[in-house]
Amino acid sequence: MKRMIHELEIKNMLRMANEALDRAYVPYSGFRVGACLKGVSGAYYLGCNIENAAYSPSNCAERTAVFKAVSEGEREFEALAIVSTGEQPATPCGVCRQVLVEFCDPEMPIICSNRGGKYNIKTLGELLPFAFTKGDLT
Ligand code: THU
């Protein structure tokens, strides 16, 4: 079942994700992404994509936000909003989905938006079904 998220909260999180997008460091792709991750404490963690001349050390906006949050002591999350500069709202890449699965439950809503405010909402479980998790290591 999809967890409900209020329209006002969606707008609030998208506004913050847009602010993070403006700080993206993207000299190679020119493709900006901003993320806003809400912890159960009520705190918001913002992230942007940060690219590198060697390409592979580049980090996505979503992982920047997750790593900021976890390093600040927050490990449970309510929702994620992402904004990107493409025409259509982009969804998190496969690596970010796997990182999200480590800390977020499958019902967590992920709001994906373009800069014009067109968005859709998917749950993490919809984006990464049959995920490999810590339970598989037992
Ligand atoms: N990117 C993100 O930040 N998040 C995504 O979900 C997809 C891709 C970044 C990585 C790279 O800096 C740029 O977008 C182009 O792939």
PDB file of all heavy atoms in Angstrom, residues 31-33 62 82-93 97 110-114 118 120 127:
ATOM      1  N   PHE A  31      23.667  17.840 -16.727  1.00  0.00           N
ATOM      2  CA  PHE A  31      22.364  17.348 -16.256  1.00  0.00           C
ATOM      3  C   PHE A  31      22.298  17.525 -14.738  1.00  0.00           C
ATOM      4  O   PHE A  31      23.017  16.860 -13.986  1.00  0.00           O
ATOM      5  CB  PHE A  31      22.210  15.870 -16.642  1.00  0.00           C
ATOM      6  CG  PHE A  31      20.860  15.271 -16.362  1.00  0.00           C
ATOM      7  CD1 PHE A  31      19.779  15.539 -17.194  1.00  0.00           C
ATOM      8  CD2 PHE A  31      20.672  14.418 -15.277  1.00  0.00           C
ATOM      9  CE1 PHE A  31      18.527  14.978 -16.950  1.00  0.00           C
ATOM     10  CE2 PHE A  31      19.440  13.847 -15.022  1.00  0.00           C
ATOM     11  CZ  PHE A  31      18.365  14.124 -15.868  1.00  0.00           C
ATOM     12  N   ARG A  32      21.438  18.452 -14.307  1.00  0.00           N
ATOM     13  CA  ARG A  32      21.366  18.763 -12.876  1.00  0.00           C
ATOM     14  C   ARG A  32      20.286  17.953 -12.186  1.00  0.00           C
ATOM     15  O   ARG A  32      19.177  17.795 -12.726  1.00  0.00           O
ATOM     16  CB  ARG A  32      21.019  20.248 -12.673  1.00  0.00           C
ATOM     17  CG  ARG A  32      22.089  21.170 -13.093  1.00  0.00           C
ATOM     18  CD  ARG A  32      21.698  22.648 -12.941  1.00  0.00           C
ATOM     19  NE  ARG A  32      22.831  23.457 -13.338  1.00  0.00           N
ATOM     20  CZ  ARG A  32      23.810  23.801 -12.512  1.00  0.00           C
ATOM     21  NH1 ARG A  32      23.742  23.487 -11.230  1.00  0.00           N
ATOM     22  NH2 ARG A  32      24.826  24.493 -12.954  1.00  0.00           N
ATOM     23  N   VAL A  33      20.626  17.470 -10.986  1.00  0.00           N
ATOM     24  CA  VAL A  33      19.655  16.732 -10.171  1.00  0.00           C
ATOM     25  C   VAL A  33      19.745  17.253  -8.738  1.00  0.00           C
ATOM     26  O   VAL A  33      20.841  17.514  -8.233  1.00  0.00           O
ATOM     27  CB  VAL A  33      19.928  15.207 -10.182  1.00  0.00           C
ATOM     28  CG1 VAL A  33      18.817  14.456  -9.454  1.00  0.00           C
ATOM     29  CG2 VAL A  33      20.075  14.672 -11.610  1.00  0.00           C
ATOM     30  N   GLU A  62      20.755  11.699  -5.106  1.00  0.00           N
ATOM     31  CA  GLU A  62      20.066  10.865  -4.108  1.00  0.00           C
ATOM     32  C   GLU A  62      21.054  10.292  -3.099  1.00  0.00           C
ATOM     33  O   GLU A  62      20.810  10.275  -1.896  1.00  0.00           O
ATOM     34  CB  GLU A  62      19.332   9.710  -4.798  1.00  0.00           C
ATOM     35  CG  GLU A  62      18.234  10.145  -5.750  1.00  0.00           C
ATOM     36  CD  GLU A  62      18.721  10.359  -7.182  1.00  0.00           C
ATOM     37  OE1 GLU A  62      19.870  10.805  -7.377  1.00  0.00           O
ATOM     38  OE2 GLU A  62      17.930  10.082  -8.095  1.00  0.00           O
ATOM     39  N   ILE A  82      12.899  14.156  -5.825  1.00  0.00           N
ATOM     40  CA  ILE A  82      14.019  14.495  -6.708  1.00  0.00           C
ATOM     41  C   ILE A  82      13.521  15.349  -7.878  1.00  0.00           C
ATOM     42  O   ILE A  82      12.397  15.179  -8.354  1.00  0.00           O
ATOM     43  CB  ILE A  82      14.810  13.266  -7.213  1.00  0.00           C
ATOM     44  CG1 ILE A  82      14.019  12.449  -8.225  1.00  0.00           C
ATOM     45  CG2 ILE A  82      15.239  12.378  -6.064  1.00  0.00           C
ATOM     46  CD1 ILE A  82      14.867  11.402  -8.928  1.00  0.00           C
ATOM     47  N   VAL A  83      14.375  16.275  -8.274  1.00  0.00           N
ATOM     48  CA  VAL A  83      14.078  17.140  -9.418  1.00  0.00           C
ATOM     49  C   VAL A  83      15.270  17.052 -10.362  1.00  0.00           C
ATOM     50  O   VAL A  83      16.424  17.047  -9.920  1.00  0.00           O
ATOM     51  CB  VAL A  83      13.885  18.615  -8.986  1.00  0.00           C
ATOM     52  CG1 VAL A  83      13.590  19.494 -10.184  1.00  0.00           C
ATOM     53  CG2 VAL A  83      12.769  18.732  -7.969  1.00  0.00           C
ATOM     54  N   SER A  84      15.003  16.963 -11.654  1.00  0.00           N
ATOM     55  CA  SER A  84      16.096  16.922 -12.622  1.00  0.00           C
ATOM     56  C   SER A  84      15.756  17.802 -13.827  1.00  0.00           C
ATOM     57  O   SER A  84      14.597  18.182 -14.025  1.00  0.00           O
ATOM     58  CB  SER A  84      16.375  15.486 -13.067  1.00  0.00           C
ATOM     59  OG  SER A  84      15.194  14.891 -13.539  1.00  0.00           O
ATOM     60  N   THR A  85      16.790  18.107 -14.608  1.00  0.00           N
ATOM     61  CA  THR A  85      16.614  19.094 -15.682  1.00  0.00           C
ATOM     62  C   THR A  85      16.134  18.497 -17.001  1.00  0.00           C
ATOM     63  O   THR A  85      15.992  19.210 -17.986  1.00  0.00           O
ATOM     64  CB  THR A  85      17.922  19.884 -15.911  1.00  0.00           C
ATOM     65  OG1 THR A  85      19.019  18.971 -15.977  1.00  0.00           O
ATOM     66  CG2 THR A  85      18.155  20.890 -14.809  1.00  0.00           C
ATOM     67  N   GLY A  86      15.914  17.194 -17.053  1.00  0.00           N
ATOM     68  CA  GLY A  86      15.397  16.587 -18.277  1.00  0.00           C
ATOM     69  C   GLY A  86      13.952  17.000 -18.532  1.00  0.00           C
ATOM     70  O   GLY A  86      13.284  17.550 -17.653  1.00  0.00           O
ATOM     71  N   GLU A  87      13.497  16.700 -19.737  1.00  0.00           N
ATOM     72  CA  GLU A  87      12.120  17.062 -20.092  1.00  0.00           C
ATOM     73  C   GLU A  87      11.117  16.303 -19.224  1.00  0.00           C
ATOM     74  O   GLU A  87      10.155  16.880 -18.707  1.00  0.00           O
ATOM     75  CB  GLU A  87      11.900  16.744 -21.570  1.00  0.00           C
ATOM     76  CG  GLU A  87      10.691  17.428 -22.167  1.00  0.00           C
ATOM     77  CD  GLU A  87      10.561  17.114 -23.648  1.00  0.00           C
ATOM     78  OE1 GLU A  87      11.563  17.288 -24.378  1.00  0.00           O
ATOM     79  OE2 GLU A  87       9.480  16.684 -24.048  1.00  0.00           O
ATOM     80  N   GLN A  88      11.372  15.007 -19.078  1.00  0.00           N
ATOM     81  CA  GLN A  88      10.491  14.172 -18.245  1.00  0.00           C
ATOM     82  C   GLN A  88      11.117  13.965 -16.872  1.00  0.00           C
ATOM     83  O   GLN A  88      12.351  13.932 -16.754  1.00  0.00           O
ATOM     84  CB  GLN A  88      10.278  12.799 -18.917  1.00  0.00           C
ATOM     85  CG  GLN A  88       9.582  12.870 -20.265  1.00  0.00           C
ATOM     86  CD  GLN A  88       8.211  13.524 -20.187  1.00  0.00           C
ATOM     87  OE1 GLN A  88       7.482  13.360 -19.205  1.00  0.00           O
ATOM     88  NE2 GLN A  88       7.856  14.290 -21.209  1.00  0.00           N
ATOM     89  N   PRO A  89      10.310  13.801 -15.822  1.00  0.00           N
ATOM     90  CA  PRO A  89      10.861  13.539 -14.490  1.00  0.00           C
ATOM     91  C   PRO A  89      11.688  12.253 -14.503  1.00  0.00           C
ATOM     92  O   PRO A  89      11.211  11.227 -14.995  1.00  0.00           O
ATOM     93  CB  PRO A  89       9.608  13.356 -13.622  1.00  0.00           C
ATOM     94  CG  PRO A  89       8.494  13.998 -14.376  1.00  0.00           C
ATOM     95  CD  PRO A  89       8.830  13.852 -15.827  1.00  0.00           C
ATOM     96  N   ALA A  90      12.933  12.327 -14.015  1.00  0.00           N
ATOM     97  CA  ALA A  90      13.797  11.140 -13.983  1.00  0.00           C
ATOM     98  C   ALA A  90      13.592  10.382 -12.678  1.00  0.00           C
ATOM     99  O   ALA A  90      13.293  10.971 -11.635  1.00  0.00           O
ATOM    100  CB  ALA A  90      15.254  11.553 -14.118  1.00  0.00           C
ATOM    101  N   THR A  91      13.764   9.072 -12.735  1.00  0.00           N
ATOM    102  CA  THR A  91      13.714   8.245 -11.527  1.00  0.00           C
ATOM    103  C   THR A  91      15.146   7.943 -11.086  1.00  0.00           C
ATOM    104  O   THR A  91      16.075   8.015 -11.900  1.00  0.00           O
ATOM    105  CB  THR A  91      12.961   6.924 -11.791  1.00  0.00           C
ATOM    106  OG1 THR A  91      13.538   6.283 -12.933  1.00  0.00           O
ATOM    107  CG2 THR A  91      11.488   7.175 -12.035  1.00  0.00           C
ATOM    108  N   PRO A  92      15.345   7.588  -9.813  1.00  0.00           N
ATOM    109  CA  PRO A  92      16.704   7.300  -9.327  1.00  0.00           C
ATOM    110  C   PRO A  92      17.357   6.156 -10.113  1.00  0.00           C
ATOM    111  O   PRO A  92      16.678   5.202 -10.502  1.00  0.00           O
ATOM    112  CB  PRO A  92      16.481   6.883  -7.868  1.00  0.00           C
ATOM    113  CG  PRO A  92      15.185   7.517  -7.480  1.00  0.00           C
ATOM    114  CD  PRO A  92      14.353   7.511  -8.720  1.00  0.00           C
ATOM    115  N   CYS A  93      18.669   6.251 -10.304  1.00  0.00           N
ATOM    116  CA  CYS A  93      19.399   5.201 -11.026  1.00  0.00           C
ATOM    117  C   CYS A  93      19.428   3.922 -10.182  1.00  0.00           C
ATOM    118  O   CYS A  93      19.095   3.921  -8.998  1.00  0.00           O
ATOM    119  CB  CYS A  93      20.822   5.668 -11.358  1.00  0.00           C
ATOM    120  SG  CYS A  93      21.986   5.535  -9.980  1.00  0.00           S
ATOM    121  N   ARG A  97      18.907   3.272  -6.111  1.00  0.00           N
ATOM    122  CA  ARG A  97      17.796   2.444  -5.609  1.00  0.00           C
ATOM    123  C   ARG A  97      18.323   1.427  -4.594  1.00  0.00           C
ATOM    124  O   ARG A  97      17.719   1.206  -3.547  1.00  0.00           O
ATOM    125  CB  ARG A  97      17.105   1.723  -6.777  1.00  0.00           C
ATOM    126  CG  ARG A  97      16.388   2.678  -7.701  1.00  0.00           C
ATOM    127  CD  ARG A  97      15.734   1.972  -8.883  1.00  0.00           C
ATOM    128  NE  ARG A  97      15.470   2.974  -9.927  1.00  0.00           N
ATOM    129  CZ  ARG A  97      14.634   2.821 -10.940  1.00  0.00           C
ATOM    130  NH1 ARG A  97      13.967   1.683 -11.072  1.00  0.00           N
ATOM    131  NH2 ARG A  97      14.462   3.777 -11.823  1.00  0.00           N
ATOM    132  N   ILE A 110       8.555   8.088  -3.470  1.00  0.00           N
ATOM    133  CA  ILE A 110       9.624   8.823  -4.157  1.00  0.00           C
ATOM    134  C   ILE A 110       8.956   9.710  -5.200  1.00  0.00           C
ATOM    135  O   ILE A 110       8.315   9.222  -6.134  1.00  0.00           O
ATOM    136  CB  ILE A 110      10.630   7.855  -4.806  1.00  0.00           C
ATOM    137  CG1 ILE A 110      11.269   6.970  -3.718  1.00  0.00           C
ATOM    138  CG2 ILE A 110      11.697   8.633  -5.587  1.00  0.00           C
ATOM    139  CD1 ILE A 110      12.305   5.990  -4.233  1.00  0.00           C
ATOM    140  N   ILE A 111       9.079  11.013  -4.979  1.00  0.00           N
ATOM    141  CA  ILE A 111       8.444  11.992  -5.861  1.00  0.00           C
ATOM    142  C   ILE A 111       9.482  12.409  -6.887  1.00  0.00           C
ATOM    143  O   ILE A 111      10.554  12.907  -6.532  1.00  0.00           O
ATOM    144  CB  ILE A 111       7.986  13.219  -5.032  1.00  0.00           C
ATOM    145  CG1 ILE A 111       7.087  12.773  -3.880  1.00  0.00           C
ATOM    146  CG2 ILE A 111       7.293  14.250  -5.916  1.00  0.00           C
ATOM    147  CD1 ILE A 111       7.392  13.469  -2.572  1.00  0.00           C
ATOM    148  N   CYS A 112       9.169  12.214  -8.150  1.00  0.00           N
ATOM    149  CA  CYS A 112      10.115  12.525  -9.237  1.00  0.00           C
ATOM    150  C   CYS A 112       9.528  13.651 -10.069  1.00  0.00           C
ATOM    151  O   CYS A 112       8.413  13.532 -10.587  1.00  0.00           O
ATOM    152  CB  CYS A 112      10.327  11.304 -10.121  1.00  0.00           C
ATOM    153  SG  CYS A 112      10.880   9.846  -9.217  1.00  0.00           S
ATOM    154  N   SER A 113      10.303  14.734 -10.212  1.00  0.00           N
ATOM    155  CA  SER A 113       9.764  15.924 -10.874  1.00  0.00           C
ATOM    156  C   SER A 113      10.743  16.477 -11.914  1.00  0.00           C
ATOM    157  O   SER A 113      11.958  16.312 -11.791  1.00  0.00           O
ATOM    158  CB  SER A 113       9.491  16.996  -9.815  1.00  0.00           C
ATOM    159  OG  SER A 113       9.000  18.180 -10.402  1.00  0.00           O
ATOM    160  N   ASN A 114      10.184  17.167 -12.906  1.00  0.00           N
ATOM    161  CA  ASN A 114      11.051  17.971 -13.768  1.00  0.00           C
ATOM    162  C   ASN A 114      11.034  19.409 -13.227  1.00  0.00           C
ATOM    163  O   ASN A 114      10.337  19.707 -12.242  1.00  0.00           O
ATOM    164  CB  ASN A 114      10.624  17.890 -15.245  1.00  0.00           C
ATOM    165  CG  ASN A 114       9.274  18.536 -15.510  1.00  0.00           C
ATOM    166  OD1 ASN A 114       8.693  19.176 -14.635  1.00  0.00           O
ATOM    167  ND2 ASN A 114       8.766  18.365 -16.710  1.00  0.00           N
ATOM    168  N   LYS A 118       6.190  19.166 -13.138  1.00  0.00           N
ATOM    169  CA  LYS A 118       5.463  17.938 -13.495  1.00  0.00           C
ATOM    170  C   LYS A 118       6.081  16.785 -12.712  1.00  0.00           C
ATOM    171  O   LYS A 118       7.298  16.549 -12.795  1.00  0.00           O
ATOM    172  CB  LYS A 118       5.605  17.685 -15.006  1.00  0.00           C
ATOM    173  CG  LYS A 118       5.005  16.369 -15.464  1.00  0.00           C
ATOM    174  CD  LYS A 118       5.251  16.172 -16.953  1.00  0.00           C
ATOM    175  CE  LYS A 118       4.790  14.793 -17.383  1.00  0.00           C
ATOM    176  NZ  LYS A 118       5.112  14.529 -18.798  1.00  0.00           N
ATOM    177  N   ASN A 120       5.621  12.683 -10.715  1.00  0.00           N
ATOM    178  CA  ASN A 120       4.883  11.453 -10.433  1.00  0.00           C
ATOM    179  C   ASN A 120       5.461  10.826  -9.169  1.00  0.00           C
ATOM    180  O   ASN A 120       6.572  11.167  -8.757  1.00  0.00           O
ATOM    181  CB  ASN A 120       4.910  10.494 -11.633  1.00  0.00           C
ATOM    182  CG  ASN A 120       6.312  10.167 -12.058  1.00  0.00           C
ATOM    183  OD1 ASN A 120       7.083   9.587 -11.298  1.00  0.00           O
ATOM    184  ND2 ASN A 120       6.665  10.555 -13.283  1.00  0.00           N
ATOM    185  N   LEU A 127      10.064   0.675  -7.615  1.00  0.00           N
ATOM    186  CA  LEU A 127      11.272   0.957  -8.406  1.00  0.00           C
ATOM    187  C   LEU A 127      12.314  -0.156  -8.307  1.00  0.00           C
ATOM    188  O   LEU A 127      13.106  -0.334  -9.226  1.00  0.00           O
ATOM    189  CB  LEU A 127      11.895   2.288  -7.955  1.00  0.00           C
ATOM    190  CG  LEU A 127      11.079   3.544  -8.254  1.00  0.00           C
ATOM    191  CD1 LEU A 127      11.821   4.782  -7.762  1.00  0.00           C
ATOM    192  CD2 LEU A 127      10.784   3.680  -9.738  1.00  0.00           C
TER     193      LEU A 127
END
